[in-house]
Amino acid sequence: MNRVYYYARVPTCEQNLDCQLEAFQKMGADEREIITDKESGRNLDRPGYQALKTAMLRPGDTLVVKSLDRLSRNKADIKTELQFFKDNGIRLKVIDLPTTMMELPEGQEWVNE
């Protein structure tokens, strides 16, 4: 069974995740499917994100983020993560990039690559 997970991140404990969480809830996200971090995006060493990658996400699953910079603030890291998702059959949907949100007919999935 393919699952959908949602990932939200803010750089400090003083900031809140409300905007990202609201966007996920509008998509029908269940609280149990949402993983959060209150840590800098300067690298990928964040507990919630690492749990997603190592213990939760499986081939066929989908990961939803509000914007691409929620994964990382480092372009090289983002590129590495995009390749990881592709190599592992994980679909990434970015709410702020509408083309990633499209549901495509069978056989047309290559458009998402």
Side-chain angles (χ1 to χ4, degrees):
M1 178 175 160
N2 297 339
R3 301 199 52 185
V4 177
Y5 293 98
Y6 302 80
Y7 178 69
R9 180 191 64 77
V10 290
T12 67
C13 290
E14 291 79 32
Q15 294 178 316
N16 69 54
L17 298 160
D18 294 348
C19 179
Q20 295 172 71
L21 299 178
E22 183 179 310
F24 297 158
Q25 290 165 349
K26 284 181 180 177
M27 294 180 67
D30 185 284
E31 189 175 310
R32 294 172 291 168
E33 301 164 332
I34 300 173
I35 307 303
T36 63
D37 280 314
K38 288 191 173 189
E39 304 221 4
S40 171
R42 73 181 173 274
N43 63 48
L44 301 169
D45 189 25
R46 300 181 302 269
Y49 187 69
Q50 288 304 313
L52 268 170
K53 280 186 63 180
T54 60
M56 301 170 84
L57 288 168
R58 302 282 182 254
D61 287 349
T62 298
L63 176 61
V64 180
V65 295
K66 175 80 169 85
S67 60
L68 203 51
D69 66 355
R70 297 305 85 197
L71 293 178
S72 178
R73 299 297 262 174
N74 178 304
K75 288 181 185 180
D77 285 346
I78 291 172
K79 185 177 178 182
T80 299
E81 295 309 283
L82 294 175
Q83 190 64 51
F84 171 84
F85 297 139
K86 182 179 177 181
D87 292 346
N88 288 280
I90 298 164
R91 179 166 179 197
L92 178 66
K93 290 185 174 183
V94 182
I95 295 171
D96 291 347
L97 294 173
T99 55
T100 67
M101 301 298 292
M102 296 177 357
E103 294 299 328
L104 299 167
E106 189 172 329
Q108 298 295 313
E109 299 87 355
W110 60 270
V111 172
N112 284 326
E113 293 180 16

